[in-house]
Amino acid sequence: MGNFPDITTRIGDYVASLVDFLDSTFDVFFSFITFISSRTINGIEDVLVWMPWWSFILIVFLLGWYFKSILSGGIYGFFIFLIGTFGLWTDMMTTIAIIVTAVIICLVLGIPLGVWMAFSKGFSNVMRPLLDAMQTMPSFVYLIPAIFFFGLGNVSAIFATLIYALPPVIRLTELAIRGVDKEVIESAQSFGSSRFQMLKKVQLPQALPTIMAGVNQTTMMALAMVVIASMVGAQGLGEQVLVAINRIDISLGFEAGISIVFLAVIIDRITNGVADKFQKHRGER
């Protein structure tokens, strides 16, 4: 009595057909993206691995000291040193390379899209449902098209991370531009500023602290994807967590997991410190 009627829909088949069409039609484009992304990740990783271990720790210490305090810098440097003692130094560098590449792409795409949404109500209305879907869809769903288009590896991880981490910087950029004081905009217009001049010299500087908050959120969400991305062949700390789960290796799981936490704390505090510096500098002006 309680059975559902014998009515079926196969929306998934249409989606699969669309994905097949995109893969066959834009095969050269996806191959180009794979090549560029792979070279970028490998280049960043090679530089990080080439650096002496103490110099990387020193850089982290100096960043923490400059943007927060000397105590914070010392703690961040100790965290990095501790990850090295776990035997996860190379994995940490791979994870950082993936995150840096993903965040750079997110910023290159996200900030212009956010500015466009702030200036175009119609475009904003189109983008908002897409951003809602990107943020609410389970993260594992992103892995399916990533594998199909780019195969297993770090490039698929970046693709999945982009979908997950891109919305915050777009939304906060739009919010920041729209939130600029109207009196300031009217004052700039009275001096004959063009729309580009007003964006460059008035709106972006005023909106920068909020945009930096978006950068922080995007970076943290990219880091949150490292374990999920390991399921499509991404290397790094996330891969070690996945290995530990498969082996039920509590020791390796704890060390890889706490290493991700250490990176999250360092990245969060430093990016917040960058935002605070911008805010303070704008206040002094």
Side-chain angles (χ1 to χ4, degrees), residues 193-220:
S193 298
S194 65
R195 175 171 288 190
F196 177 75
Q197 289 174 327
M198 190 163 53
L199 175 66
K200 179 181 177 182
K201 298 183 179 180
V202 177
Q203 290 173 300
L204 283 178
Q206 291 285 325
L208 198 54
T210 304
I211 294 175
M212 287 303 301
V215 174
N216 172 266
Q217 291 299 308
T218 290
T219 306
M220 298 307 296

Side-chain angles (χ1 to χ4, degrees), residues 1-9:
M1 294 293 293
N3 292 337
F4 190 80
D6 190 15
I7 302 173
T8 59
T9 56

Side-chain angles (χ1 to χ4, degrees), residues 151-256:
L152 295 175
N154 292 334
V155 178
S156 295
I158 289 179
F159 177 82
T161 302
L162 281 177
I163 300 176
Y164 185 70
L166 190 57
V169 70
I170 296 177
R171 289 186 183 276
L172 286 174
T173 299
E174 180 193 13
L175 178 66
I177 297 296
R178 289 186 183 274
V180 175
D181 193 345
K182 291 184 178 179
E183 293 182 357
V184 176
I185 296 176
E186 291 173 357
S187 176
Q189 289 174 336
S190 66
F191 284 100
S193 298
S194 65
R195 175 171 288 190
F196 177 75
Q197 289 174 327
M198 190 163 53
L199 175 66
K200 179 181 177 182
K201 298 183 179 180
V202 177
Q203 290 173 300
L204 283 178
Q206 291 285 325
L208 198 54
T210 304
I211 294 175
M212 287 303 301
V215 174
N216 172 266
Q217 291 299 308
T218 290
T219 306
M220 298 307 296
M221 293 180 77
L223 182 58
M225 279 292 290
V226 296
V227 177
I228 296 175
S230 66
M231 297 181 180
V232 293
Q235 300 170 332
L237 295 172
E239 181 185 31
Q240 297 304 318
V241 172
L242 186 63
V243 168
I245 292 173
N246 292 332
R247 296 178 181 174
I248 317 180
D249 188 334
I250 296 176
S251 175
L252 176 61
F254 176 81
E255 291 175 350

Side-chain angles (χ1 to χ4, degrees), residues 7-283:
I7 302 173
T8 59
T9 56
R10 304 297 298 177
I11 297 177
D13 291 342
Y14 296 109
V15 175
S17 299
L18 175 62
V19 172
D20 288 336
F21 169 76
L22 293 175
D23 182 57
S24 60
T25 305
F26 300 101
D27 179 63
V28 175
F29 172 74
F30 291 128
S31 299
F32 175 75
I33 295 296
T34 301
F35 174 76
I36 295 297
S37 299
S38 299
R39 293 296 295 269
T40 303
I41 296 172
N42 293 336
I44 295 174
E45 184 180 0
D46 289 343
V47 171
L48 292 174
V49 172
W50 170 80
M51 292 173 59
W53 64 270
W54 54 267
S55 65
F56 185 79
I57 294 176
L58 179 62
I59 291 172
V60 172
F61 166 74
L62 293 175
L63 288 173
W65 183 8
Y66 180 74
F67 289 113
K68 299 300 288 186
S69 67
I70 189 170
L71 176 61
S72 297
I75 293 174
Y76 303 158
F78 175 72
F79 283 168
I80 297 297
F81 176 79
L82 201 57
I83 294 173
T85 64
F86 295 155
L88 299 173
W89 186 266
T90 302
D91 292 303
M92 177 183 65
M93 294 306 177
T94 302
T95 297
I96 293 174
I98 293 173
I99 292 172
V100 168
T101 304
V103 170
I104 289 174
I105 297 174
C106 282
L107 298 185
V108 170
L109 295 176
I111 292 178
L113 286 174
V115 172
W116 189 3
M117 288 174 66
F119 284 122
S120 174
K121 187 69 175 179
F123 182 67
S124 179
N125 291 334
V126 171
M127 285 294 296
R128 284 179 182 176
L130 295 176
L131 296 176
D132 291 340
M134 291 166 68
Q135 289 187 293
T136 55
M137 191 179 296
S139 304
F140 293 98
V141 178
Y142 306 149
L143 304 181
I144 300 172
I147 296 173
F148 195 87
F149 289 134
F150 305 107
L152 295 175
N154 292 334
V155 178
S156 295
I158 289 179
F159 177 82
T161 302
L162 281 177
I163 300 176
Y164 185 70
L166 190 57
V169 70
I170 296 177
R171 289 186 183 276
L172 286 174
T173 299
E174 180 193 13
L175 178 66
I177 297 296
R178 289 186 183 274
V180 175
D181 193 345
K182 291 184 178 179
E183 293 182 357
V184 176
I185 296 176
E186 291 173 357
S187 176
Q189 289 174 336
S190 66
F191 284 100
S193 298
S194 65
R195 175 171 288 190
F196 177 75
Q197 289 174 327
M198 190 163 53
L199 175 66
K200 179 181 177 182
K201 298 183 179 180
V202 177
Q203 290 173 300
L204 283 178
Q206 291 285 325
L208 198 54
T210 304
I211 294 175
M212 287 303 301
V215 174
N216 172 266
Q217 291 299 308
T218 290
T219 306
M220 298 307 296
M221 293 180 77
L223 182 58
M225 279 292 290
V226 296
V227 177
I228 296 175
S230 66
M231 297 181 180
V232 293
Q235 300 170 332
L237 295 172
E239 181 185 31
Q240 297 304 318
V241 172
L242 186 63
V243 168
I245 292 173
N246 292 332
R247 296 178 181 174
I248 317 180
D249 188 334
I250 296 176
S251 175
L252 176 61
F254 176 81
E255 291 175 350
I258 199 69
S259 297
I260 295 173
V261 173
F262 287 159
L263 281 182
V265 170
I266 294 170
I267 293 172
D268 179 59
R269 296 297 184 269
I270 290 179
T271 52
N272 277 329
V274 173
D276 292 340
K277 284 285 185 182
F278 277 118
Q279 182 73 28
K280 182 179 178 181
H281 179 66
R282 195 187 72 171

